[in-house]
Amino acid sequence: MPTAFSNQLGWHIFFSLKRIGIGLGISLITGLLLGWLMGTFPFWNKLLDPLIYLTYPIPKLALLPLLMLFLGLGEGSKIALIITIILPQMILSIRDAIISIPETYYQVYLCMGANSFERFKQITWPAIFFGIISTLRVSLGIAFSVLFFAENYGTEYGMGYFIMDAWLRMDYPMMYAGILILSLVGLILFGCLDYLLKKKTPEINYDNKQAQR
Amino acid sequence: MLFMTIQNKPILSFEKVSVHLSGKCVLDHVTENFSEHQVYTILGPSGTGKTTLLKVLAGFIQPNQGSIYWQQAEYRPRDLKIGYVPQDYGLLPWQTVRKAVQESLTVGQRKKRLTLADQKKVATCLEDVFLTEVRDAYPKQLSGGQKQRVALARAFMLESDLLLMDEPFSALDAFTRREMQQLFQTMWHKSKPLTFFITHDIEEALILGDEVLVFKGSPGQVITREKGLRKSYRTEEELFTLQQSVDYFQRVNDLREELKGY
Ligand SMILES: Nc1ncnc2c1ncn2[C@@H]1O[C@H](COP(=O)(O)OP(=O)(O)OP(=O)(O)O)[C@@H](O)[C@H]1O
Ligand SMILES: [Mg+2]
């Protein structure tokens, strides 16, 4: 049995990761831009935050037919579905991370004569890095579960399709094998995020926290 | 007291500067002159606008009325290099001690890359403030006094035109504070920036200041300026003798009286 799907499995994983990767990438860039605007300029916050609060509770799956109508049954609507689901929480977490940066950090640098790029590089970015990884983690988890809807139509590749297909064929060992493999892929990705976080935030002591709590 | 300001040509002047915050008048018609290479210590009861004055100088608050001049031209804080030491030190949690001090060169003095001479300068500076051993530590791993020394080193490394310090030593115990005062004196002499130093400690104001400004009232105003003792002693022994004198006691007591009633 393992040989039966091993040659195809690589492609299933590849397509799923590609969709998740593009979806997360676009969301992260948009989230950073909008979150930064909203966290930095009260005008943008006042303008955009009612909009986000208003659209956040809409069940995004209900939008799927619309996305299919406008973007077709191909990759476009699949990636768009992932984005509409994870983008709002990304914007909000990045905005909140920016808002909570102490003012004095910036004041010292302003007085030194730092320009806005230097202030972003030395203060804003390192200050929100933890929040970014954290929101990426949440988004990654959600994106995985969205796959089952996104890869349910118009494709024959993707872990979502693989599992669903096995299910429909009542090939339960294959279905659970698919789920297990998906979990393993998730484990590796989450592990990578954690590794990146630890590597980039050496000032945080991750191992010695419980003692005081 | 008066002849001092005449003797040195003012580099910074306030003319009828008033500041309103949320509709409340915080500083009222402040008109003062300040000279180059001087340390001005600021005393005054809580809420009299001392921090506000510093924020105006740092450019975080615009005065509602009046004007400020720097070398006879309009005061533009963003064109100056200003060392700012807030009460909480403002150290970035993700910067090591050495990085924080280096930033004054890379960001403050626009140096793309640190030359060997620059690196030596940073090393010497860290040596001066006794931080060589903890140069790779993060703020969380430092004691209060060490954090304060990082903030000092960072500010002096900048070789700024203006140095603004808001109660920098108030969180330290008396012994560490005295050490920091000494350190401040030695570091200050290397670049002699015009300094404004807020403190709640009368003796600190007298010992460190060329002049002591006393703030009072709400809205706040400078009610007196008097000569400080910064130049009256050289060594710790001389300072000690000075502090035993009747004159010194008298001045501390007078200032204490002055600060008492609103
Ligand atoms: N952002 C603000 N909005 C409104 N009022 C403010 C603001 N900041 C300060 N104030 C008011 O301005 C007055 C002066 O404040 P400031 O912080 O300058 O006092 P201070 O002399 O530094 O006092 P302290 O010795 O306690 O630090 C206070 O009455 C304070 O309530
Ligand atoms: Mg204050």
Side-chain angles (χ1 to χ4, degrees), chain A residues 95-106:
Chain A
R95 177 199 66 178
D96 292 347
I98 287 181
I99 287 177
S100 60
I101 302 173
E103 225 178 332
T104 50
Y105 292 1
Y106 289 106

Side-chain angles (χ1 to χ4, degrees), chain B residues 94-150:
Chain B
W94 47 86
Q95 283 184 350
T96 60
V97 170
R98 188 184 0 203
K99 168 83 173 156
V101 176
Q102 272 175 7
E103 286 284 280
S104 289
L105 294 178
T106 47
V107 174
Q109 302 195 2
R110 309 242 153 263
K111 296 200 169 157
K112 282 251 165 60
R113 191 169 288 151
L114 291 185
T115 62
L116 219 61
D118 290 331
Q119 279 167 8
K120 207 168 249 169
K121 212 165 143 192
V122 171
T124 317
C125 183
L126 290 175
E127 193 96 23
D128 287 345
V129 294
F130 314 110
L131 287 173
T132 307
E133 260 169 48
V134 290
R135 61 182 181 266
D136 294 317
Y138 294 97
K140 228 188 240 175
Q141 302 161 329
L142 301 175
S143 72
Q146 285 171 329
K147 280 187 220 170
Q148 180 53 67
R149 295 206 291 274
V150 180

